[in-house]
Amino acid sequence: MFDGVPLGILVGAATVFGAVFGSFLNVCILRWGAEPKQSVVRPPSRCPRCGHALSWYENVPVLSWLALRGRCRGCGLPISIQYPLIELAVAAIWGGMVWWFGAGLAAVAGAVFFTILLGIAVTDARAYLIPDEFSLGGLVVGLVLAALAGWSQLLVAALGAAVGFGLLWLVAVGGTWLFKKDAMGGGDIKMMAMIGAFVGWKSVLLTIFLGALLGSLIFVPLTLAGSKRLVPFGIFLALGAAASYLVGPEILEWYGRFVIGA
Ligand SMILES: [Zn+2]
């Protein structure tokens, strides 16, 4: 479809697209993470402090924040740097995926997947919850993208979703039995089903392993230091999933060669 178009132009276009998606992701994070949950369509973007409705030129990804010097035109109070940072991150994700995979289905799948992972990580960090819109919505998108790639891809994705869901469900049930309290939220379980749909069943195992490893590296010292902080486990699963997606086969091969000796 994009034959003859220089890669630089495609990457640039994907980056601009990404910034716009990032702007929408900000809205999703804020409204799906709110209690009660709010619509991401209505009302249009406004300043959370004074209600000043944003005109189009106050709503341009990254550039508006810079032009306004990070302050609302209505009340003059600071606008969180989270907005331009997420726009930049999603812009980099979309540009990077096209640069890595070339313009095609693989790049779209990777970009959608990483955008959802970022949304989950930030929402989990802010509100300690993983909205179904990201997990279950992402699961549906992941299965559809896999189906577009062919029947065998769809089978791998469906297996991945089942393994991710089933394993984390077992961990949750086992943890509840062991610690006599809920060790893991339902959000994490649904999130792993979504991840499985994008990475397949092998990398889903790797994701859980990496997520648990990262989580304990950070959580155990915190607990020993007496912190009662909740652990947004979704962040660690998101990091594990991103690593599995990009270098999963390499890690598994290394593991097979050096650890199992196969
Ligand atoms: Zn304001």
Side-chain angles (χ1 to χ4, degrees):
M1 189 158 82
F2 297 110
D3 288 345
V5 183
L7 185 63
I9 291 182
L10 295 172
V11 170
T15 305
V16 172
F17 258 113
V20 175
F21 282 127
S23 191
F24 182 61
L25 185 66
N26 274 318
V27 179
C28 296
I29 289 168
L30 220 64
R31 297 192 183 176
W32 288 342
E35 283 293 341
K37 197 172 284 188
Q38 297 162 5
S39 160
V40 291
V41 189
R42 247 181 264 261
S45 297
R46 31 183 88 240
C47 168
R49 295 214 168 94
C50 69
H52 166 70
L54 302 186
S55 50
W56 68 267
Y57 58 87
E58 292 166 273
N59 217 356
V60 181
V62 185
L63 301 181
S64 288
W65 192 88
L66 291 174
L68 295 167
R69 294 195 183 78
R71 289 182 181 280
C72 166
R73 267 184 75 225
C75 60
L77 288 170
I79 308 166
S80 168
I81 196 166
Q82 183 191 314
Y83 294 96
L85 285 183
I86 286 189
E87 286 156 1
L88 279 175
V90 180
I93 286 171
W94 283 73
M97 286 293 172
V98 168
W99 178 70
W100 188 255
F101 290 110
L105 198 56
V108 172
V112 168
F113 183 43
F114 275 50
T115 304
I116 293 172
L117 289 178
L118 179 65
I120 288 179
V122 178
T123 314
D124 204 11
R126 287 172 54 108
Y128 295 105
L129 59 87
I130 298 173
D132 285 347
E133 284 82 354
F134 283 133
S135 57
L136 297 182
L139 170 65
V140 173
V141 175
L143 291 174
V144 169
L145 286 169
L148 289 176
W151 280 108
S152 63
Q153 293 291 322
L154 179 59
L155 186 67
V156 169
L159 253 176
V163 170
F165 186 92
L167 260 181
L168 230 64
W169 181 78
L170 281 178
V171 171
V173 170
T176 308
W177 177 76
L178 209 63
F179 302 114
K180 304 285 177 260
K181 62 173 185 175
D182 281 340
M184 197 169 299
D188 297 307
I189 304 175
K190 287 178 262 183
M191 176 191 182
M192 275 315 296
M194 181 278 291
I195 290 172
F198 279 95
V199 301
W201 69 270
K202 270 189 202 163
S203 291
V204 108
L205 299 174
L206 183 63
T207 298
I208 295 173
F209 172 76
L210 291 176
L213 185 70
L214 281 171
S216 25
L217 281 179
I218 293 169
F219 175 55
V220 171
L222 274 178
T223 312
L224 292 178
S227 166
K228 290 276 189 292
R229 267 180 77 91
L230 279 164
V231 189
F233 193 49
I235 295 176
F236 304 114
L237 288 176
L239 286 170
S244 301
Y245 193 77
L246 291 179
V247 289
E250 285 82 359
I251 297 179
L252 289 172
E253 198 214 358
W254 175 87
Y255 184 79
R257 195 170 334 141
F258 291 100
V259 182
I260 307 177

